[in-house]
Amino acid sequence: MSIKNLFVMCLLSGVAGAIQVCTSGDCQSGSIAGPYSASQTAEYTHANLQRCSGSACGTGFNGTNQIEGIDAMQDIGGAYQFFDQTLNIDANIAVGPAISGQHAQVLEWTNTRNIQAFDKVTGEPVYSISGGTYGDPRSVINLFNSSTQPECTANGGNVQVIYDRLDDVFVINRRVTYTVGAISHYAWCLSISSASDLSNSKTNWYSYEYKMDSAIPCLPASSGCTSGTNYYYYPDWPRIGTWSNGFYITFDLTDPTDFYLQAGFEACQLDREDMVKGLTANPMTCYTYTVPSSPSLIHSVDVADIDSPTGPAAGEPEYFLSIVNPSNAQQNKNGQGVCTTQSLTNVCSSDQLALFTWGSNGLTGPTLLTVNPYTPSCYDTSSSGSETNTECVPVPTTNVAHMGEYGHRSCGDYGPPCVDSLGDRMANRLTYNNLSSTTGGPNGEFLTASHVVMESTSNQRSGIRYYILQVSNGAASVLVNSGGVAGPADLQDPNDTLFYFMPSAALDMNGNLGITYTTSGAYCSTCQTQPNPAVNFVVLPWESTTTDTPTLIIQGAGDEENTLHWGEYAATQIDPGDNLTFYGVGEYFNTSQTGKTACSTPANDCYTWQTRIFRGQYGNGFKKLVVK
């Protein structure tokens, strides 16, 4: 792979190496390299998946505007007709509009391959397997050609679904791993609906594959992709967004020869204009951001996705945003490494976000935005390299003796484990809104974002930090920043007990910020209902400094005990039909997921996860919505 361009920047002026001491913030000398390119391997047009018809298709909306989404143990029309052998999931949704003469749907995906569309009026599932009478989720690999796109028919990979507002189509974004001669290689697989109505038999899916060998850099230890057991960085944590001049994807560059530590990230632009028509697509173009030694303080970057009827002006650059993990500038070092070994009264913290843009000169940045100081949730400074361990969210079955204070390894190392907070990264998603109000509402362009932060050093209790950034032509300013002396407080338990995590934020047309999130806690001896993980929703009204009363969506009655992962792609979406209705999805359990062995066949304790989809408009506590 040849590097055609190299952009090197110091994140603070004058810091070109370790000569000058950094007094605060991130002073890593990151570099942007590229462009790299990956050509389309194959394009395939697939007919729509079979529609379910009849009274046995499944249940729809209940009286509280909720749908039971894809569940691990769905028994629809026969024993284990659908059964997903996955211990953890990444539930995600996209929402289409109601268009005259057509039906409208919510599309849900769960790791590693299953999708289902739900009718927005009835809530009933759309897709079915053979027979067409039971609403069974379908495998996304059915949308790819086994002859010309065999890599994309592999069972695995992270997926995200979005609704492309510019073209009124659904997009499925998927990374897969395949091997050649025992060496892992990676492919990018995208499938795009030809129309917004997923129940219409005339709707097709345009599926594309890109093999990424020419786009993902070789590992430093591979001698130019010629030696060792791994040649390429592993592309983790994929994201996708719609922009005026393409689809943009981002993913982490993690090193499989160094405990999968993040060396940085990669961003790529894809040919949206041709792909939404099912035409041969131009090659994708990619740039990387990396630091000389892992881990990078900047990684897991979110990419802006248009979430309003009006998109960006022609020529406006795409936006990318991440947190900046705490640097060792706090320890009077040069700020090029992670912060370690701090005390309960002197915690590692950061006061920066990193903004990148992609305009006419490709990827540029970062611009460092100053925000209220925060400590990433579950930040582990017990040993070198442990800072990426972000597991400390307890469930009622977690042994409280294994719940450490700040700076120590916590319950994620023990069984039954606690849950990963993902405190070292931005949460899904980075929304872009171009809004215009004549009644005192928002005017301008805005990004929304959120992440999980530590609220208490004694038990590492977590809360949610959230932002609204105002942007224009590549520049950004912080409009709303929770967690400070002024402005709204972080989203956290007022009783100092529950852990808040897995947020996803979105903005309605009136500027109200809606946040889906999960709560969980340790065993409570005096509680009538144990604090098993629950799905919640709350709204910060436009120009308010206080969130409204939270709404409990679904209270779980069980725990995830056989893995530390949770629904890592939790999503809040805005209905593109009215730009007022929030849709969200979250994970929960009614039966604890405890099995860890003999899970190759259906077992009640191995796979018990459930998902819940909900909707509502902001009124009085989010509860003044009449079912449509």
Side-chain angles (χ1 to χ4, degrees):
M1 290 174 284
S2 62
I3 298 177
K4 299 179 181 178
N5 262 322
L6 180 64
F7 299 91
V8 179
M9 80 294 292
C10 290
L11 305 187
L12 287 181
S13 178
V15 180
I19 299 174
Q20 184 173 344
V21 174
C22 174
T23 57
S24 65
D26 176 19
C27 301
Q28 282 187 326
S29 297
S31 62
I32 292 177
Y36 303 106
S37 181
S39 297
Q40 168 192 308
T41 304
E43 184 275 330
Y44 174 66
T45 299
H46 191 285
N48 202 5
L49 300 173
Q50 184 167 348
R51 182 177 178 178
C52 188
S53 60
S55 59
C57 284
T59 58
F61 280 109
N62 61 26
T64 55
N65 275 302
Q66 297 181 23
I67 311 172
E68 185 65 8
I70 300 175
D71 295 340
M73 296 299 290
Q74 281 181 329
D75 179 11
I76 304 173
Y80 307 111
Q81 195 170 64
F82 164 62
F83 173 69
D84 187 279
Q85 297 178 10
T86 303
L87 293 172
N88 56 281
I89 61 165
D90 297 331
N92 190 245
I93 59 170
V95 181
I99 296 177
S100 178
Q102 300 183 35
H103 293 284
Q105 296 86 29
V106 180
L107 180 65
E108 182 184 15
W109 160 83
T110 59
N111 209 15
T112 57
R113 64 187 182 277
N114 297 294
I115 59 171
Q116 179 60 280
F118 297 90
D119 188 279
K120 282 174 58 179
V121 175
T122 66
E124 295 178 354
V126 172
Y127 290 141
S128 173
I129 62 172
S130 59
T133 57
Y134 300 107
D136 300 310
R138 300 300 310 277
S139 173
V140 72
I141 67 177
N142 292 325
L143 301 178
F144 296 89
N145 188 294
S146 60
S147 298
T148 61
Q149 301 168 317
E151 293 77 17
C152 292
T153 60
N155 178 27
N158 293 98
V159 182
Q160 188 178 12
V161 292
I162 61 171
Y163 189 76
D164 169 9
R165 284 190 175 229
L166 298 183
D167 303 291
D168 283 326
V169 295
F170 288 92
V171 183
I172 299 173
N173 177 58
R174 183 170 182 248
R175 177 224 65 218
V176 296
T177 302
Y178 65 98
T179 58
V180 178
I183 299 296
S184 293
H185 300 256
Y186 308 102
W188 227 263
C189 309
L190 296 98
S191 197
I192 303 158
S193 65
S194 63
S196 67
D197 187 357
L198 300 182
S199 68
N200 193 326
S201 61
K202 295 181 180 180
T203 297
N204 294 321
W205 288 91
Y206 304 134
S207 299
Y208 293 84
E209 177 186 283
Y210 295 83
K211 292 183 178 179
M212 302 294 287
D213 284 5
S214 59
I216 297 178
C218 302
L219 292 170
S222 71
S223 300
C225 289
T226 62
S227 64
T229 57
N230 292 277
Y231 286 174
Y232 304 97
Y233 285 103
Y234 177 69
D236 197 17
W237 202 246
R239 291 289 191 265
I240 185 171
T242 299
W243 202 247
S244 56
N245 62 348
F247 294 124
Y248 284 83
I249 61 174
T250 59
F251 49 90
D252 278 344
L253 295 173
T254 65
D255 189 343
T257 68
D258 190 17
F259 304 101
Y260 289 91
L261 290 180
Q262 291 96 350
F265 73 94
E266 185 159 353
C268 303
Q269 179 194 51
L270 290 90
D271 181 7
R272 193 198 89 240
E273 183 176 356
D274 287 325
M275 296 172 75
V276 298
K277 300 173 184 176
L279 303 176
T280 300
N282 291 313
M284 69 165 68
T285 301
C286 304
Y287 291 88
T288 62
Y289 169 85
T290 57
V291 298
S293 59
S294 298
S296 173
L297 301 176
I298 296 171
H299 61 79
S300 306
V301 174
D302 273 359
V303 55
D305 183 36
I306 298 173
D307 221 28
S308 57
T310 302
E316 182 165 9
E318 170 67 297
Y319 297 93
F320 308 82
L321 190 70
S322 78
I323 73 168
V324 178
N325 283 279
S327 77
N328 59 22
Q330 292 179 254
Q331 299 161 312
N332 296 319
K333 296 185 179 180
N334 61 15
Q336 295 194 20
V338 294
C339 180
T340 58
T341 320
Q342 297 288 283
S343 68
L344 292 180
T345 57
N346 184 24
V347 300
C348 293
S349 64
S350 174
D351 63 353
Q352 295 175 338
L353 303 180
L355 179 75
F356 294 80
T357 58
W358 185 315
S360 58
N361 293 321
L363 184 70
T364 59
T367 298
L368 298 177
L369 305 177
T370 300
V371 294
N372 294 328
Y374 59 87
T375 298
S377 177
C378 308
Y379 196 73
D380 180 2
T381 61
S382 62
S383 62
S384 177
S386 65
E387 296 80 16
T388 57
N389 168 34
T390 52
E391 304 146 16
C392 74
V393 178
V395 294
T397 50
T398 298
N399 188 335
V400 293
H402 296 155
M403 293 174 59
E405 61 187 15
Y406 164 75
H408 293 77
R409 288 195 177 277
S410 192
C411 41
D413 297 329
Y414 306 93
C418 55
V419 174
D420 192 346
S421 72
L422 297 177
D424 64 339
R425 62 197 64 198
M426 278 291 182
N428 181 49
R429 22 191 314 260
L430 181 64
T431 68
Y432 168 89
N433 288 267
N434 191 343
L435 302 176
S436 178
S437 173
T438 59
T439 58
N443 280 287
E445 300 171 87
F446 306 93
L447 301 177
T448 66
S450 61
H451 60 107
V452 187
V453 298
M454 183 181 70
E455 304 290 356
S456 170
T457 58
S458 62
N459 64 352
Q460 302 188 65
R461 182 175 55 81
S462 60
I464 295 166
R465 180 67 52 90
Y466 51 92
Y467 308 92
I468 300 176
L469 307 182
Q470 188 149 18
V471 296
S472 177
N473 198 31
S477 59
V478 181
L479 184 65
V480 173
N481 181 181
S482 69
V485 176
D490 285 345
L491 190 58
Q492 60 173 308
D493 184 9
N495 298 317
D496 299 330
T497 301
L498 295 176
F499 287 60
Y500 286 22
F501 68 114
M502 292 303 155
S504 179
L507 209 63
D508 73 9
M509 65 181 297
N510 294 324
N512 302 308
L513 182 70
I515 305 173
T516 303
Y517 63 100
T518 300
T519 59
S520 184
Y523 175 77
C524 175
S525 61
T526 60
C527 295
Q528 186 173 8
T529 300
Q530 287 302 312
N532 292 291
V535 181
N536 304 265
F537 187 81
V538 73
V539 174
L540 176 75
W542 175 249
E543 293 188 331
S544 174
T545 58
T546 306
T547 58
D548 204 345
T549 304
T551 299
L552 173 65
I553 303 301
I554 181 72
Q555 172 63 60
D559 300 338
E560 181 170 29
E561 301 175 34
N562 55 6
T563 176
L564 54 84
H565 297 288
W566 198 255
E568 298 176 354
Y569 281 62
T572 303
Q573 302 279 349
I574 292 294
D575 189 322
D578 59 24
N579 301 292
L580 289 172
T581 302
F582 292 100
Y583 279 76
V585 65
E587 178 183 355
Y588 74 103
F589 290 84
N590 277 331
T591 302
S592 292
Q593 186 168 277
T594 58
K596 296 184 180 180
T597 59
C599 292
S600 60
T601 58
N604 287 334
D605 61 352
C606 280
Y607 311 100
T608 62
W609 52 260
Q610 297 176 254
T611 67
R612 181 61 59 92
I613 300 170
F614 64 92
R615 69 179 181 186
Q617 292 180 357
Y618 175 64
N620 181 11
F622 186 67
K623 296 178 181 179
K624 283 189 174 180
L625 177 71
V626 177
V627 177
K628 297 180 179 180

